[in-house]
């Protein structure tokens, strides 16, 4: 079953159009248009299950959600740890920060076999999971759910499960 954060924080009912900015990309070699495509697809999966809408903005000051790649310590007291281990983290509503570990062997925007790169991590899979956290979901006990707390490296998991849909629909 799905779970929430303590106190069930959500984006408030008058905020159904959320803007996100991809703000910190100097630490990744993935090109900007690929990043835009991958995050747009990840947000679209949650938009399809709710009345939320997500739009990319170039302006960080307009953004509800900010997305960036960082290596090691990056100022929030939760340093990244190099390849594998922690892949990314996102804060609960309405913080909006979504950080990715720049040290991962991210694979994005193609069907190139994930398992051909050692330690490869599918960016879209991680994005769909972290967006669940940004919207207020904690971890699920259902192994096939996007919000289950583990994923095998070299795999792709981007489709919401019934459990994820029920969780998000009970919040929004
Ligand atoms: N990052 C953890 C995660 O997002 C960070 C975390 C641990 C966390 N406990 C939390 C975030 C409680 C919110 C609430 O779960 S991670 C996966 C998964 C990670 C893990 O790097 O371990 C994914 C990031 F589920 F596959 F294991 C993305 Cl998809
Ligand atoms: Ca890591
Ligand atoms: Zn961080
Ligand atoms: Zn998680």
């Amino acid at each position: 079953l799905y779970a929430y954060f303590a106190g069930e924080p959500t984006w408030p009912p008058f905020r159904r159009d959320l803007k996100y900015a991809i703000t910190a990309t100097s630490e990744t070699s993935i090109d900007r248009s690929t990043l835009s495509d991958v995050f747009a697809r990840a947000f679209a999966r949650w938009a399809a299950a709710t009345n939320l809408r997500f739009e990319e903005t170039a302006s960080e000051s307009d953004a509800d959600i900010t997305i960036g790649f960082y290596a090691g310590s990056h100022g929030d007291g939760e340093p990244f740890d190099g390849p594998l281990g922690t892949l990314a983290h996102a804060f609960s509503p309405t913080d909006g920060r979504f950080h990715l570990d720049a040290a991962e062997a991210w694979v994005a925007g193609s069907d190139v076999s994930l398992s051909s790169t050692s330690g490869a991590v599918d960016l879209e899979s991680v994005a769909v999971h972290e967006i669940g956290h940004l919207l207020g979901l904690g971890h699920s006990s259902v192994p096939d759910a996007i919000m289950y707390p583990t994923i095998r490296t070299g795999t792709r998991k981007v489709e919401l499960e019934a459990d994820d849909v029920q969780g998000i629909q009970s919040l929004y």
Side-chain angles (χ1 to χ4, degrees), residues 74 76 78 80 89 91 99:
H74 52 279
D76 60 10
E78 305 206 37
F80 284 131
H89 52 229
F91 296 86
H99 298 163

Side-chain angles (χ1 to χ4, degrees), residues 5 85-90 125-126 129-130 133 139 146 148-151:
F5 292 105
T86 300
L87 311 171
H89 52 229
S125 302
V126 170
H129 179 96
E130 296 303 330
H133 289 317
H139 284 147
I146 288 289
Y148 193 67
T150 62
I151 186 172

Side-chain angles (χ1 to χ4, degrees), residues 81-87 101 104:
D81 54 2
L84 300 177
T86 300
L87 311 171
D101 189 344
E104 304 307 335

